[in-house]
Structure formats: structure tokens, C-alpha cells
Coordinates of all heavy atoms in Angstrom, one line a residue:
M1 N -42.0 41.3 51.5 CA -41.2 40.1 51.3 C -41.7 39.1 52.3 O -41.8 39.3 53.5 CB -39.7 40.5 51.5 CG -38.8 39.3 51.4 SD -37.1 39.7 51.7 CE -36.9 41.2 51.0
G2 N -41.9 37.9 51.8 CA -42.4 36.8 52.6 C -41.3 36.3 53.5 O -40.1 36.5 53.3
M3 N -41.7 35.6 54.6 CA -40.7 35.1 55.6 C -40.0 33.9 55.0 O -38.9 33.5 55.5 CB -41.4 34.8 56.9 CG -40.5 34.5 58.0 SD -39.4 35.8 58.2 CE -38.1 35.0 59.1
I4 N -40.5 33.3 53.9 CA -39.8 32.1 53.4 C -38.6 32.5 52.5 O -37.7 31.8 52.4 CB -40.8 31.3 52.6 CG1 -40.2 29.9 52.2 CG2 -41.2 32.0 51.3 CD1 -40.1 29.0 53.4
T5 N -38.6 33.7 52.0 CA -37.5 34.1 51.1 C -36.1 34.2 51.7 O -35.2 33.6 51.2 CB -37.9 35.5 50.4 OG1 -39.2 35.4 49.9 CG2 -36.9 35.9 49.4
P6 N -35.9 34.9 52.9 CA -34.5 35.0 53.4 C -34.0 33.6 53.8 O -32.8 33.4 53.5 CB -34.7 35.9 54.6 CG -35.9 36.7 54.3 CD -36.8 35.9 53.5
P7 N -34.7 32.7 54.5 CA -34.1 31.4 54.8 C -33.7 30.6 53.5 O -32.7 30.0 53.5 CB -35.1 30.7 55.6 CG -36.1 31.7 56.1 CD -36.0 32.8 55.1
C8 N -34.6 30.7 52.5 CA -34.3 30.0 51.3 C -33.0 30.5 50.6 O -32.2 29.8 50.1 CB -35.5 30.1 50.3 SG -35.3 29.1 48.8
C9 N -33.0 31.8 50.5 CA -31.8 32.5 49.9 C -30.5 32.2 50.7 O -29.4 32.0 50.1 CB -32.0 34.0 49.8 SG -33.1 34.5 48.5
A10 N -30.6 32.2 52.0 CA -29.5 31.9 52.9 C -29.0 30.5 52.6 O -27.7 30.2 52.5 CB -29.8 32.1 54.3
I11 N -29.9 29.5 52.5 CA -29.4 28.1 52.3 C -28.8 27.9 50.9 O -27.7 27.4 50.8 CB -30.7 27.2 52.4 CG1 -31.1 27.1 53.9 CG2 -30.3 25.8 51.9 CD1 -32.5 26.4 54.1
F12 N -29.4 28.5 49.9 CA -28.8 28.3 48.6 C -27.5 29.1 48.4 O -26.6 28.7 47.7 CB -29.8 28.8 47.5 CG -30.9 27.7 47.2 CD1 -32.2 28.0 47.5 CD2 -30.5 26.5 46.7 CE1 -33.2 27.0 47.2 CE2 -31.5 25.5 46.5 CZ -32.8 25.8 46.7
S13 N -27.4 30.3 49.1 CA -26.2 31.1 49.0 C -25.1 30.4 49.7 O -23.9 30.4 49.2 CB -26.4 32.4 49.6 OG -27.4 33.2 48.9
L14 N -25.4 29.8 50.9 CA -24.3 29.0 51.6 C -23.8 27.8 50.7 O -22.6 27.5 50.7 CB -24.9 28.5 52.9 CG -23.8 27.9 53.8 CD1 -22.7 28.9 54.2 CD2 -24.5 27.4 55.1
A15 N -24.8 27.1 50.1 CA -24.4 26.0 49.2 C -23.5 26.5 48.0 O -22.5 25.9 47.6 CB -25.6 25.3 48.6
G16 N -23.9 27.7 47.5 CA -23.0 28.3 46.4 C -21.6 28.7 46.9 O -20.7 28.4 46.2
V17 N -21.5 29.2 48.1 CA -20.2 29.5 48.6 C -19.4 28.3 48.8 O -18.2 28.3 48.4 CB -20.4 30.3 50.0 CG1 -19.0 30.4 50.7 CG2 -20.9 31.7 49.8
V18 N -20.0 27.2 49.3 CA -19.2 26.0 49.6 C -18.8 25.4 48.2 O -17.6 25.0 48.0 CB -20.0 25.0 50.4 CG1 -19.4 23.6 50.5 CG2 -20.2 25.6 51.8
F19 N -19.8 25.2 47.3 CA -19.5 24.6 46.0 C -18.4 25.4 45.2 O -17.4 24.8 44.7 CB -20.7 24.4 45.2 CG -20.5 23.8 43.9 CD1 -20.2 22.5 43.8 CD2 -20.5 24.6 42.7 CE1 -20.0 21.9 42.5 CE2 -20.3 24.0 41.5 CZ -20.0 22.6 41.4
L20 N -18.6 26.7 45.1 CA -17.7 27.5 44.3 C -16.3 27.6 45.0 O -15.3 27.6 44.3 CB -18.2 28.8 44.0 CG -19.4 28.8 42.9 CD1 -19.9 30.2 42.7 CD2 -18.9 28.3 41.6
G21 N -16.3 27.6 46.3 CA -15.1 27.6 47.0 C -14.3 26.4 46.8 O -13.0 26.4 46.6
I22 N -15.0 25.2 46.9 CA -14.3 23.9 46.6 C -13.8 23.9 45.2 O -12.7 23.4 44.9 CB -15.2 22.8 46.9 CG1 -15.4 22.7 48.4 CG2 -14.7 21.4 46.4 CD1 -16.5 21.7 48.9
M23 N -14.6 24.3 44.2 CA -14.2 24.3 42.8 C -13.0 25.2 42.6 O -12.0 24.9 41.9 CB -15.3 24.7 41.9 CG -16.4 23.7 41.7 SD -15.8 22.1 41.1 CE -15.1 22.6 39.5
G24 N -12.9 26.4 43.3 CA -11.8 27.2 43.2 C -10.5 26.6 43.8 O -9.4 26.7 43.2
L25 N -10.7 25.9 44.9 CA -9.5 25.2 45.5 C -9.0 24.1 44.6 O -7.8 23.9 44.4 CB -9.9 24.6 46.8 CG -10.1 25.6 48.0 CD1 -10.6 25.0 49.2 CD2 -8.8 26.3 48.2
V26 N -10.0 23.3 43.9 CA -9.6 22.3 43.0 C -8.8 22.9 41.8 O -7.8 22.3 41.4 CB -10.8 21.4 42.6 CG1 -10.4 20.5 41.4 CG2 -11.3 20.6 43.8
L27 N -9.4 23.9 41.3 CA -8.7 24.6 40.1 C -7.4 25.2 40.5 O -6.5 25.3 39.7 CB -9.6 25.7 39.5 CG -10.8 25.1 38.7 CD1 -11.8 26.3 38.4 CD2 -10.3 24.5 37.4
D28 N -7.2 25.6 41.8 CA -6.0 26.1 42.3 C -4.9 25.1 42.5 O -3.8 25.2 42.1 CB -6.2 26.9 43.5 CG -5.1 27.8 43.9 OD1 -4.3 28.2 43.0 OD2 -5.0 28.2 45.1
S29 N -5.3 24.0 43.1 CA -4.3 22.9 43.5 C -4.1 21.9 42.4 O -2.9 21.6 42.1 CB -4.8 22.2 44.8 OG -6.0 21.5 44.5
S30 N -5.1 21.4 41.7 CA -4.9 20.4 40.7 C -5.9 20.5 39.6 O -6.9 19.8 39.6 CB -4.9 19.0 41.3 OG -6.0 18.8 42.1
P31 N -5.7 21.4 38.7 CA -6.7 21.7 37.6 C -6.9 20.5 36.6 O -7.8 20.5 35.8 CB -6.2 22.9 36.9 CG -4.8 23.0 37.2 CD -4.6 22.3 38.5
I32 N -6.0 19.5 36.7 CA -6.1 18.4 35.8 C -7.3 17.5 36.1 O -7.8 16.8 35.2 CB -4.8 17.5 36.0 CG1 -4.7 16.5 34.8 CG2 -4.8 16.7 37.3 CD1 -3.4 15.9 34.6
Y33 N -7.9 17.7 37.3 CA -9.1 16.9 37.6 C -10.4 17.5 37.1 O -11.5 16.9 37.1 CB -9.3 16.7 39.1 CG -8.2 15.8 39.7 CD1 -7.3 16.3 40.6 CD2 -8.1 14.5 39.3 CE1 -6.3 15.5 41.1 CE2 -7.2 13.7 39.8 CZ -6.2 14.2 40.7 OH -5.3 13.4 41.3
V34 N -10.3 18.7 36.5 CA -11.5 19.4 35.9 C -11.3 19.4 34.4 O -10.4 20.1 33.9 CB -11.6 20.8 36.5 CG1 -12.9 21.5 35.9 CG2 -11.7 20.8 38.0
K35 N -12.2 18.7 33.7 CA -12.1 18.6 32.3 C -12.7 19.8 31.6 O -13.6 20.5 32.1 CB -12.9 17.4 31.8 CG -12.2 16.1 32.0 CD -13.1 15.0 31.3 CE -12.3 13.7 31.3 NZ -13.1 12.7 30.6
G36 N -12.1 20.2 30.4 CA -12.7 21.2 29.6 C -12.5 22.6 30.0 O -13.2 23.5 29.6
V37 N -11.5 22.9 30.9 CA -11.2 24.2 31.3 C -9.9 24.7 30.6 O -8.8 24.2 30.8 CB -10.9 24.3 32.8 CG1 -10.6 25.7 33.3 CG2 -12.2 23.8 33.5
P38 N -10.0 25.6 29.6 CA -8.9 26.0 28.8 C -7.9 26.9 29.7 O -6.7 26.8 29.5 CB -9.4 26.8 27.7 CG -10.8 27.2 28.1 CD -11.3 26.2 29.1
D39 N -8.4 27.7 30.6 CA -7.6 28.6 31.4 C -7.9 28.4 32.8 O -8.9 29.1 33.4 CB -7.8 30.0 30.9 CG -6.8 31.0 31.6 OD1 -5.8 30.5 32.2 OD2 -7.0 32.2 31.5
P40 N -7.2 27.5 33.6 CA -7.6 27.2 35.0 C -7.5 28.4 35.9 O -8.3 28.6 36.8 CB -6.6 26.2 35.4 CG -6.1 25.6 34.1 CD -6.2 26.6 33.1
E41 N -6.5 29.3 35.6 CA -6.3 30.5 36.5 C -7.5 31.4 36.4 O -8.0 31.9 37.4 CB -5.0 31.3 36.2 CG -3.8 30.5 36.6 CD -3.3 29.5 35.5 OE1 -3.8 29.6 34.4 OE2 -2.6 28.6 35.9
A42 N -8.0 31.7 35.2 CA -9.2 32.6 35.0 C -10.4 31.9 35.6 O -11.2 32.6 36.2 CB -9.4 32.9 33.5
S43 N -10.6 30.6 35.4 CA -11.7 29.9 36.0 C -11.7 29.9 37.5 O -12.7 30.0 38.1 CB -11.7 28.5 35.4 OG -11.9 28.5 34.1
R44 N -10.5 29.8 38.0 CA -10.3 29.8 39.5 C -10.8 31.2 40.0 O -11.5 31.3 41.0 CB -8.9 29.5 39.9 CG -8.6 29.6 41.4 CD -7.2 29.8 41.7 NE -6.7 31.0 41.1 CZ -5.5 31.3 40.7 NH1 -4.6 30.4 40.8 NH2 -5.2 32.5 40.2
D45 N -10.3 32.2 39.4 CA -10.7 33.6 39.8 C -12.2 33.8 39.7 O -12.8 34.4 40.6 CB -9.9 34.6 39.0 CG -8.4 34.6 39.3 OD1 -8.0 34.1 40.3 OD2 -7.7 35.1 38.5
T46 N -12.8 33.3 38.7 CA -14.2 33.4 38.5 C -15.0 32.7 39.6 O -16.0 33.2 40.1 CB -14.6 32.9 37.1 OG1 -13.9 33.6 36.1 CG2 -16.1 33.1 36.9
C47 N -14.5 31.5 40.0 CA -15.1 30.7 41.0 C -15.0 31.5 42.4 O -16.0 31.6 43.1 CB -14.4 29.4 41.2 SG -14.9 28.2 40.0
Y48 N -13.9 32.1 42.6 CA -13.8 32.9 43.9 C -14.6 34.1 43.9 O -15.2 34.5 44.9 CB -12.3 33.2 44.1 CG -11.4 32.0 44.5 CD1 -10.1 31.9 44.1 CD2 -11.9 31.0 45.3 CE1 -9.3 30.9 44.5 CE2 -11.2 30.0 45.7 CZ -9.9 29.9 45.3 OH -9.1 28.8 45.7
K49 N -14.7 34.8 42.7 CA -15.6 35.9 42.6 C -17.1 35.5 42.8 O -17.8 36.2 43.5 CB -15.5 36.6 41.3 CG -14.2 37.4 41.1 CD -14.0 38.0 39.8 CE -12.7 38.6 39.5 NZ -12.5 39.0 38.2
G50 N -17.5 34.4 42.2 CA -18.8 33.9 42.4 C -19.1 33.6 43.8 O -20.2 33.8 44.4
A51 N -18.1 32.9 44.5 CA -18.3 32.6 45.9 C -18.4 33.8 46.8 O -19.2 33.8 47.7 CB -17.1 31.7 46.4
G52 N -17.7 34.9 46.4 CA -17.8 36.1 47.1 C -19.2 36.7 47.0 O -19.8 37.3 48.0
L53 N -19.8 36.7 45.8 CA -21.1 37.2 45.6 C -22.2 36.4 46.3 O -23.1 37.0 46.9 CB -21.4 37.2 44.1 CG -20.7 38.3 43.2 CD1 -21.0 38.1 41.8 CD2 -21.0 39.7 43.7
Y54 N -22.0 35.1 46.3 CA -22.9 34.2 47.1 C -22.8 34.5 48.6 O -23.7 34.5 49.3 CB -22.6 32.8 46.8 CG -23.4 32.2 45.7 CD1 -22.7 31.7 44.5 CD2 -24.8 32.2 45.6 CE1 -23.4 31.2 43.5 CE2 -25.5 31.6 44.6 CZ -24.8 31.1 43.5 OH -25.5 30.6 42.4
G55 N -21.5 34.8 49.0 CA -21.3 35.2 50.4 C -22.0 36.5 50.8 O -22.6 36.6 51.9
A56 N -22.0 37.4 49.9 CA -22.7 38.7 50.1 C -24.2 38.5 50.2 O -24.9 39.0 51.1 CB -22.3 39.7 49.0
T57 N -24.7 37.6 49.3 CA -26.1 37.3 49.4 C -26.5 36.6 50.7 O -27.5 36.8 51.3 CB -26.5 36.4 48.2 OG1 -26.1 37.1 47.0 CG2 -28.0 36.2 48.1
F58 N -25.6 35.7 51.1 CA -25.8 35.0 52.4 C -25.9 36.0 53.5 O -26.8 35.9 54.4 CB -24.7 34.0 52.6 CG -24.8 33.3 54.0 CD1 -25.8 32.3 54.2 CD2 -24.0 33.6 55.0 CE1 -25.9 31.7 55.4 CE2 -24.1 33.0 56.2 CZ -25.0 32.0 56.4
L59 N -25.0 37.0 53.6 CA -25.0 38.0 54.7 C -26.2 38.8 54.6 O -26.8 39.1 55.7 CB -23.7 38.8 54.6 CG -22.4 38.1 54.9 CD1 -21.2 39.0 54.7 CD2 -22.4 37.5 56.3
I60 N -26.7 39.2 53.5 CA -27.9 40.0 53.3 C -29.1 39.2 53.8 O -30.0 39.7 54.5 CB -28.1 40.5 51.9 CG1 -27.0 41.5 51.5 CG2 -29.5 41.1 51.7 CD1 -27.0 41.9 50.1
S61 N -29.1 37.9 53.5 CA -30.3 37.1 53.9 C -30.3 36.9 55.4 O -31.4 37.0 56.0 CB -30.2 35.7 53.2 OG -30.2 35.8 51.8
V62 N -29.1 36.7 56.0 CA -29.0 36.6 57.5 C -29.5 37.9 58.1 O -30.2 37.9 59.1 CB -27.6 36.2 57.9 CG1 -27.5 36.3 59.4 CG2 -27.4 34.7 57.5
A63 N -29.0 39.0 57.6 CA -29.4 40.3 58.1 C -30.9 40.5 58.1 O -31.6 41.0 59.0 CB -28.7 41.5 57.4
L64 N -31.6 40.1 57.0 CA -33.0 40.2 56.8 C -33.7 39.3 57.8 O -34.8 39.6 58.4 CB -33.5 39.9 55.4 CG -33.2 40.9 54.4 CD1 -33.5 40.5 53.0 CD2 -34.0 42.2 54.7
L65 N -33.1 38.1 58.1 CA -33.7 37.2 59.1 C -33.7 37.8 60.5 O -34.6 37.7 61.2 CB -32.9 35.8 59.1 CG -33.3 34.8 58.0 CD1 -32.3 33.7 58.0 CD2 -34.7 34.3 58.2
I66 N -32.5 38.4 60.8 CA -32.4 39.0 62.1 C -33.4 40.2 62.2 O -34.0 40.4 63.3 CB -31.0 39.5 62.3 CG1 -30.1 38.2 62.5 CG2 -30.8 40.4 63.6 CD1 -28.6 38.5 62.5
K67 N -33.5 41.0 61.2 CA -34.4 42.1 61.2 C -35.8 41.7 61.4 O -36.6 42.3 62.2 CB -34.3 42.9 59.9 CG -35.2 44.1 59.8 CD -35.1 44.7 58.4 CE -36.2 45.7 58.2 NZ -36.2 46.2 56.8
E68 N -36.2 40.6 60.7 CA -37.6 40.1 60.9 C -37.8 39.5 62.2 O -38.9 39.7 62.8 CB -37.8 39.0 59.8 CG -39.3 38.5 59.7 CD -40.2 39.6 59.2 OE1 -39.8 40.5 58.4 OE2 -41.4 39.6 59.5
K69 N -36.8 38.9 62.8 CA -37.0 38.3 64.2 C -37.1 39.5 65.2 O -38.0 39.4 66.1 CB -35.8 37.5 64.5 CG -35.9 36.8 65.8 CD -34.7 35.8 66.0 CE -34.9 35.0 67.3 NZ -33.8 34.1 67.5
V70 N -36.4 40.5 65.0 CA -36.5 41.7 66.0 C -37.9 42.3 65.8 O -38.5 42.7 66.8 CB -35.3 42.7 65.7 CG1 -35.6 44.0 66.4 CG2 -34.0 42.1 66.2
K71 N -38.3 42.4 64.6 CA -39.6 43.1 64.3 C -40.7 42.2 64.9 O -41.7 42.8 65.5 CB -39.8 43.2 62.8 CG -41.0 43.9 62.3 CD -41.0 44.1 60.8 CE -42.3 44.0 60.2 NZ -42.2 44.1 58.7
R72 N -40.7 40.9 64.8 CA -41.7 40.1 65.4 C -41.6 40.2 67.0 O -42.7 40.2 67.6 CB -41.5 38.6 65.0 CG -42.2 38.3 63.7 CD -42.1 36.8 63.5 NE -40.8 36.4 63.2 CZ -40.2 35.2 63.4 NH1 -40.9 34.3 63.9 NH2 -39.0 35.0 63.1
K73 N -40.4 40.3 67.5 CA -40.3 40.4 69.0 C -40.9 41.7 69.5 O -41.6 41.8 70.5 CB -38.8 40.3 69.4 CG -38.6 40.4 70.9 CD -37.2 40.4 71.3 CE -37.0 40.5 72.7 NZ -37.5 41.7 73.3
D74 N -40.7 42.8 68.7 CA -41.2 44.1 69.1 C -42.7 44.1 69.0 O -43.4 44.6 69.9 CB -40.7 45.2 68.2 CG -39.2 45.5 68.5 OD1 -38.7 45.1 69.6 OD2 -38.6 46.2 67.7
S75 N -43.3 43.4 68.0 CA -44.8 43.4 67.9 C -45.3 42.5 69.0 O -46.4 42.8 69.5 CB -45.2 42.9 66.5 OG -44.8 41.5 66.3
L76 N -44.6 41.5 69.4 CA -45.1 40.6 70.5 C -45.0 41.4 71.8 O -46.0 41.3 72.6 CB -44.2 39.4 70.6 CG -44.6 38.3 71.6 CD1 -46.0 37.8 71.2 CD2 -43.6 37.2 71.6
D77 N -44.0 42.2 72.0 CA -43.9 43.1 73.2 C -45.1 44.1 73.2 O -45.6 44.4 74.3 CB -42.6 43.8 73.2 CG -41.4 42.9 73.6 OD1 -41.7 41.7 74.0 OD2 -40.3 43.3 73.4
D78 N -45.5 44.6 72.0 CA -46.6 45.6 72.0 C -47.9 44.9 72.3 O -48.8 45.5 72.9 CB -46.7 46.2 70.6 CG -45.5 47.1 70.3 OD1 -44.8 47.6 71.3 OD2 -45.3 47.5 69.2
D79 N -48.0 43.6 72.0 CA -49.3 42.9 72.3 C -49.5 42.7 73.8 O -50.6 42.6 74.2 CB -49.3 41.5 71.6 CG -49.4 41.6 70.1 OD1 -49.8 42.7 69.6 OD2 -49.1 40.6 69.4
Y80 N -48.4 42.6 74.5 CA -48.5 42.4 76.0 C -48.1 43.7 76.7 O -47.6 43.6 77.9 CB -47.5 41.2 76.4 CG -48.0 39.9 75.8 CD1 -47.4 39.3 74.8 CD2 -49.1 39.3 76.4 CE1 -47.8 38.1 74.3 CE2 -49.6 38.1 75.9 CZ -48.9 37.5 74.8 OH -49.3 36.3 74.3
A81 N -48.4 44.8 76.2 CA -48.0 46.1 76.8 C -48.8 46.3 78.1 O -48.4 47.0 79.0 CB -48.2 47.2 75.8
G82 N -50.0 45.8 78.2 CA -50.9 46.0 79.4 C -50.5 45.1 80.5 O -51.1 45.2 81.6
F83 N -49.6 44.2 80.3 CA -49.3 43.2 81.4 C -48.1 43.7 82.1 O -47.2 44.3 81.6 CB -49.0 41.8 80.8 CG -50.2 41.2 80.2 CD1 -50.6 41.4 78.9 CD2 -50.9 40.3 81.0 CE1 -51.8 40.7 78.5 CE2 -52.0 39.7 80.6 CZ -52.5 39.9 79.3
G84 N -48.0 43.4 83.4 CA -46.9 43.7 84.2 C -45.8 42.7 84.1 O -45.9 41.8 83.3
D85 N -44.7 42.9 84.9 CA -43.6 42.0 84.8 C -44.0 40.6 85.2 O -43.3 39.6 84.9 CB -42.4 42.5 85.7 CG -41.8 43.7 85.1 OD1 -41.9 43.9 83.9 OD2 -41.2 44.5 85.9
D86 N -45.0 40.4 86.1 CA -45.4 39.1 86.5 C -46.3 38.4 85.6 O -46.7 37.3 85.8 CB -46.1 39.2 87.9 CG -47.3 40.1 87.9 OD1 -47.5 40.8 86.9 OD2 -47.9 40.2 89.0
G87 N -46.7 39.0 84.5 CA -47.5 38.4 83.5 C -49.0 38.6 83.7 O -49.8 38.1 82.9
K88 N -49.4 39.3 84.8 CA -50.8 39.5 85.0 C -51.2 40.9 84.5 O -50.4 41.8 84.5 CB -51.0 39.5 86.5 CG -50.7 38.1 87.1 CD -51.0 38.1 88.6 CE -50.7 36.8 89.2 NZ -50.8 36.7 90.6
A89 N -52.4 41.0 84.1 CA -52.9 42.2 83.5 C -53.1 43.3 84.6 O -53.6 43.0 85.7 CB -54.3 42.0 82.9
G90 N -52.5 44.5 84.3 CA -52.7 45.6 85.3 C -53.9 46.4 85.0 O -54.6 46.1 84.1
L91 N -54.2 47.3 85.9 CA -55.3 48.2 85.6 C -55.0 49.2 84.6 O -53.9 49.8 84.6 CB -55.7 48.9 86.9 CG -56.2 48.0 88.0 CD1 -56.5 48.8 89.3 CD2 -57.5 47.3 87.6
I92 N -55.9 49.4 83.6 CA -55.7 50.3 82.6 C -56.6 51.5 82.7 O -57.8 51.3 83.0 CB -55.9 49.6 81.2 CG1 -54.9 48.4 81.1 CG2 -55.7 50.6 80.1 CD1 -55.2 47.6 79.9
S93 N -56.1 52.7 82.7 CA -56.9 53.8 83.0 C -58.0 54.1 81.9 O -59.0 54.7 82.2 CB -56.0 55.1 83.2 OG -55.3 55.3 82.0
N94 N -57.7 53.7 80.7 CA -58.7 54.1 79.6 C -59.6 52.9 79.2 O -59.8 52.6 78.0 CB -57.9 54.6 78.4 CG -56.9 53.6 77.8 OD1 -56.8 52.5 78.4 ND2 -56.3 53.9 76.7
R95 N -60.1 52.2 80.2 CA -61.0 51.1 79.9 C -62.3 51.7 79.3 O -62.8 52.7 79.7 CB -61.4 50.4 81.1 CG -60.2 49.5 81.6 CD -60.7 48.7 82.7 NE -59.6 47.7 83.0 CZ -59.8 46.6 83.7 NH1 -61.0 46.4 84.3 NH2 -58.8 45.8 83.9
T96 N -62.9 50.9 78.4 CA -64.1 51.4 77.7 C -65.4 51.0 78.5 O -66.4 51.6 78.4 CB -64.2 50.8 76.3 OG1 -64.1 49.4 76.4 CG2 -63.1 51.4 75.4
G97 N -65.3 49.9 79.2 CA -66.5 49.4 79.9 C -66.5 50.0 81.4 O -65.5 50.3 81.9
A98 N -67.7 50.1 81.9 CA -67.8 50.5 83.3 C -69.0 49.8 83.9 O -69.9 49.3 83.2 CB -68.0 52.0 83.4
Y99 N -69.1 49.7 85.2 CA -70.2 49.0 85.9 C -71.4 49.8 85.7 O -71.4 51.1 85.8 CB -69.8 48.8 87.4 CG -68.7 47.9 87.6 CD1 -67.5 48.3 88.1 CD2 -68.8 46.5 87.3 CE1 -66.5 47.4 88.3 CE2 -67.8 45.6 87.5 CZ -66.6 46.1 88.0 OH -65.6 45.2 88.1
G100 N -72.6 49.2 85.6 CA -73.8 49.8 85.5 C -74.3 50.1 84.1 O -75.4 50.6 83.9
Y101 N -73.4 49.8 83.1 CA -73.8 50.1 81.7 C -74.0 48.8 81.0 O -73.3 47.8 81.4 CB -72.7 50.9 81.0 CG -72.7 52.3 81.5 CD1 -71.7 52.7 82.4 CD2 -73.6 53.3 81.1 CE1 -71.6 54.0 82.9 CE2 -73.5 54.6 81.5 CZ -72.5 54.9 82.4 OH -72.5 56.2 82.9
G102 N -74.8 48.8 80.0 CA -75.0 47.5 79.2 C -76.3 46.9 79.5 O -77.2 47.4 80.2
S103 N -76.4 45.6 79.1 CA -77.7 44.9 79.2 C -77.9 44.5 80.7 O -76.9 44.2 81.4 CB -77.6 43.7 78.3 OG -78.8 42.9 78.5
Q104 N -79.1 44.4 81.1 CA -79.5 43.9 82.4 C -79.6 42.4 82.4 O -79.7 41.8 83.5 CB -80.8 44.5 82.9 CG -80.7 46.0 83.1 CD -82.0 46.6 83.5 OE1 -83.0 45.9 83.8 NE2 -82.0 47.9 83.6
Y105 N -79.6 41.7 81.3 CA -79.8 40.3 81.3 C -78.5 39.6 81.2 O -77.5 39.8 80.8 CB -80.6 40.0 80.1 CG -82.0 40.7 80.1 CD1 -82.2 41.7 79.2 CD2 -83.0 40.2 80.9 CE1 -83.4 42.4 79.2 CE2 -84.2 40.9 80.9 CZ -84.4 41.9 80.1 OH -85.6 42.5 80.1

């Protein structure tokens, strides 16, 4: 999964939660402002269910963002495993190079 997918899903899911939540509130408080709705109570319930599904998608997207951030942090820590707390490279016992070997030039 690419890194662009969770932020995009989170943004669209949050927009869906807000929009459907507002529509549910409008259908709950004054359904006269919404044209063409034969049964405002059923439509209101459908809006709230849809907002709940978008909310679940938002939470999953945020969880994937956090997981990816932790994964990147762990891989960054692995890249600097040979460095000490002061940021300087320490001596590593399994060095491949040694003095006296290699080209004389």
C-alpha cells in the first residue's frame, strides 16, 4: 500500500463524516429544508449509519498512518545503529577493511 492512500482516505472519510452528520442533523431538526425525501426518519438513520462507516474508515486510515510512521522510525533507527548517543560513529568489531590491505596507490 502506498503512503498516499491512508492520508487521502482519512481526508475523504472525515469529509464524509462531517457532511453526512450535518445532513442527519438537518433531517432530524427540520426536514422541510431537504427536498424530495419521502421518509425523513429513514433518511436520517441512513445518514447516521453512513457517517459511522466513514468514521470507521477514518479510524482505520489514521491507524495505518501511525503504523507507517512507527515503521519508518524503526527503519531510521536501524540505519543509525552503529552510532552512539552523541551521534558519532563508534568502533565496530566486524569491519571488513584493515590496514595493509588493498592498493598501494
